[in-house]
Amino acid sequence: MSVSAAAPSGPRSYQVRTWMAAAIAGMGGLLFGYDTGMISGAQLFIEQDFDVSAGGIGLVVSAVTAGALVGALLSSGLTARWSRRAVIALSAVVFIVGAVAAAAAPSVAVLVAARFVIGLGIGFASTVVPLYIAELVPVASRGSMVALFQLAITLGILVAYLVNAAYADDGEWRAVFALACAPATVLLLGMLVLPESPRWLFAAGREDEARRVLETLRDPDDPQTARELEEIRATVEADRARPRESLARALTSPLARMILVVGIGLGVFQQITGINTIIYYAPTILGKAGLGTESSVMATAGIGGLNFVATIVALAVVDRINRRTMLIGGMAGMALSMAVLAVTFAVDDFDGPLRWVAVGSLLAFIACFAVSWGWGFWVMASEIYPLFIRGQAVSIGNAVQWTANFAVSLLFPILLAAWGGAVLFSVLAGFGVLALVFTYRLVPETRGLTLEEIEREWRRRAGVADDAAAAPAA
């Protein structure tokens, strides 16, 4: 059974089918979001149960990002051998195993190992889900459909914050971990009804099946469907016609280097400008700002709610406003919010209204992030890489992103204790300014272009022949 077979017929049935497929695959974001959100509250009680230092809690928090880094790297080989759908299903199974082990962990060492396994599942999902959705959906709604992955992340974070709040009185962090199996199970069952990526099927030589899948997700009578099929075929045939070269040589070609710089830069700046200091450590930051433990956890739930609502807003406009415009505007607000947060910690008078300025800075940062860089990296990473390096390049870009995530989550509690909030948040604001310059100078506009058109634009920039345009139609 497939989602296409189960979907209704009628003039809107093709749109319903693609949205259904994107929504089910986007559940992979819940794996990411729930685990990201639950540790922010659970860590307060893990510290009490296991009596760990700031460095120890940094290991507990960052273990999942280390696992995600490895998972992202492994996904390169997996996507070369397995279908996108199979890798996503594997991510759900791995996550379930890790979540059960974390809930039963008798020591910090076992908990760190279990969270590493959880990270493997997240690494697989975060690499392959956006890629799968981008290859499945029509160009006109690609941005909003890929952004469903980010919406699922924010929903997972919100649910985790609410669960943390529910258990804030008794500190039952093990139940919070056990509940993480729910989104993974939903994803695993959902993958049984989804079609394969038509672009992957074409590349695998299963052209008739690719045509059938695409024609269940697009109107066969629409001339654009035939054009899309021909573009995919031409790109695949051009890729097959090129002389075979090593992966290392392909990835270091002038064309690939140019694209990887942009993809890696987007991933790194998404992580080092402050988002994970808030998502992972919001209760810690709010505690430093004078709120009690329970109040910090409750306020963090409000941050998660705003993150989710702002992402819904982004979903409504992502295919109507240029990508670069939203990235630049959002980062300007993020850098400013971090600067204000740094000033509040420099004044260091949280007995009065200043504590609410700190809370407002966190809320402003989250809102700006959610409408721009929250979805921006995932959408751009799913769009910018050409077919001949797509799986490997997405894997590399995500691995570097997870490396930055790991560094931030590991070092933040240590640097906060050593430097104080004023210096640390000033550094994050500075990274935001660098991200603005990077985006303005290097990031291209991709809205409204097919994946094949984006590849041709990259080739034009690099001065490389457009083989796909010259390839004969079958």
Side-chain angles (χ1 to χ4, degrees), residues 185-235:
T185 302
V186 172
L187 177 64
L188 178 61
L189 296 176
M191 295 314 297
L192 300 178
V193 301
L194 291 185
E196 296 288 3
S197 157
R199 286 172 171 82
W200 181 86
L201 290 170
F202 258 107
R206 296 157 60 178
E207 296 186 11
D208 289 342
E209 189 175 350
R211 178 183 292 274
R212 287 196 299 272
V213 168
L214 196 64
E215 289 183 348
T216 60
L217 298 172
R218 312 281 195 276
D219 183 355
D221 297 327
D222 186 346
Q224 180 58 37
T225 302
R227 286 195 294 270
E228 185 174 357
L229 280 167
E230 291 307 315
E231 279 196 337
I232 296 172
R233 177 185 290 109
T235 301

Side-chain angles (χ1 to χ4, degrees), residues 120-420:
L120 288 175
I122 293 175
F124 295 152
S126 65
T127 300
V128 183
V129 168
L131 179 64
Y132 171 77
I133 296 174
E135 292 183 346
L136 204 68
V137 303
V139 60
S141 54
R142 187 178 62 229
S144 55
M145 289 191 182
V146 174
L148 280 175
F149 181 72
Q150 176 64 19
L151 181 64
I153 292 175
T154 61
L155 177 59
I157 292 171
L158 174 59
V159 170
Y161 284 168
L162 293 174
V163 171
N164 279 335
Y167 285 100
D169 290 336
D170 53 22
E172 188 51 63
W173 60 269
R174 294 182 187 275
V176 177
F177 275 94
L179 288 172
C181 295
T185 302
V186 172
L187 177 64
L188 178 61
L189 296 176
M191 295 314 297
L192 300 178
V193 301
L194 291 185
E196 296 288 3
S197 157
R199 286 172 171 82
W200 181 86
L201 290 170
F202 258 107
R206 296 157 60 178
E207 296 186 11
D208 289 342
E209 189 175 350
R211 178 183 292 274
R212 287 196 299 272
V213 168
L214 196 64
E215 289 183 348
T216 60
L217 298 172
R218 312 281 195 276
D219 183 355
D221 297 327
D222 186 346
Q224 180 58 37
T225 302
R227 286 195 294 270
E228 185 174 357
L229 280 167
E230 291 307 315
E231 279 196 337
I232 296 172
R233 177 185 290 109
T235 301
V236 170
E237 289 180 352
D239 183 52
R240 289 172 180 165
R242 295 187 188 102
R244 294 296 93 186
E245 56 185 0
S246 68
L247 176 60
R249 184 173 180 181
L251 289 171
T252 55
S253 66
L255 175 63
R257 283 202 308 269
M258 177 190 300
I259 303 170
L260 280 169
V261 165
V262 173
I264 289 173
L266 287 169
V268 170
F269 280 123
Q270 187 205 42
Q271 298 300 311
I272 68 173
T273 48
I275 184 58
N276 284 320
T277 65
I278 296 175
I279 297 299
Y280 290 137
Y281 295 108
T284 301
I285 296 170
L286 293 170
K288 294 280 187 181
L291 274 69
T293 298
E294 291 187 19
S295 296
S296 296
V297 173
M298 295 297 181
T300 301
I303 291 173
L306 175 62
N307 193 17
F308 179 67
V309 172
T311 302
I312 293 177
V313 173
L315 209 68
V317 301
V318 65
D319 284 315
R320 301 178 184 181
I321 303 175
N322 284 348
R323 314 274 202 251
R324 289 179 76 255
T325 301
M326 295 182 73
L327 291 175
I328 291 171
M331 184 54 70
M334 290 158 60
L336 180 60
S337 300
M338 271 295 154
V340 171
L341 187 61
V343 171
T344 64
F345 273 81
V347 175
D348 195 20
D349 179 16
F350 293 118
D351 292 332
L354 197 61
R355 72 177 63 180
W356 302 113
V357 176
V359 172
S361 298
L362 295 182
L363 293 172
F365 183 97
I366 283 291
C368 292
F369 177 86
V371 299
S372 59
W373 286 73
W375 58 265
F377 170 72
W378 305 112
V379 171
M380 297 294 285
S382 72
E383 294 177 333
I384 63 175
Y385 298 115
L387 183 63
F388 76 100
I389 59 165
R390 185 168 296 154
Q392 294 82 3
V394 169
S395 174
I396 292 170
N398 279 21
V400 175
Q401 183 221 29
W402 281 112
T403 301
N405 189 323
F406 173 78
V408 170
S409 58
L410 177 64
L411 295 176
F412 179 78
I414 300 171
L415 296 178
L416 183 62
W419 294 356

Side-chain angles (χ1 to χ4, degrees), residues 33-86:
Y34 187 86
D35 183 81
T36 299
M38 70 178 175
I39 196 60
S40 68
Q43 65 171 294
L44 301 176
F45 305 108
I46 293 171
E47 289 177 7
Q48 297 170 9
D49 283 3
F50 291 123
D51 191 25
V52 293
S53 64
I57 202 65
L59 282 175
V60 172
V61 174
S62 61
V64 75
T65 60
L69 165 60
V70 175
L73 289 172
L74 291 177
S75 65
S76 173
L78 292 174
T79 54
R81 295 172 177 83
W82 296 1
S83 70
R84 318 290 196 222
R85 189 173 66 171

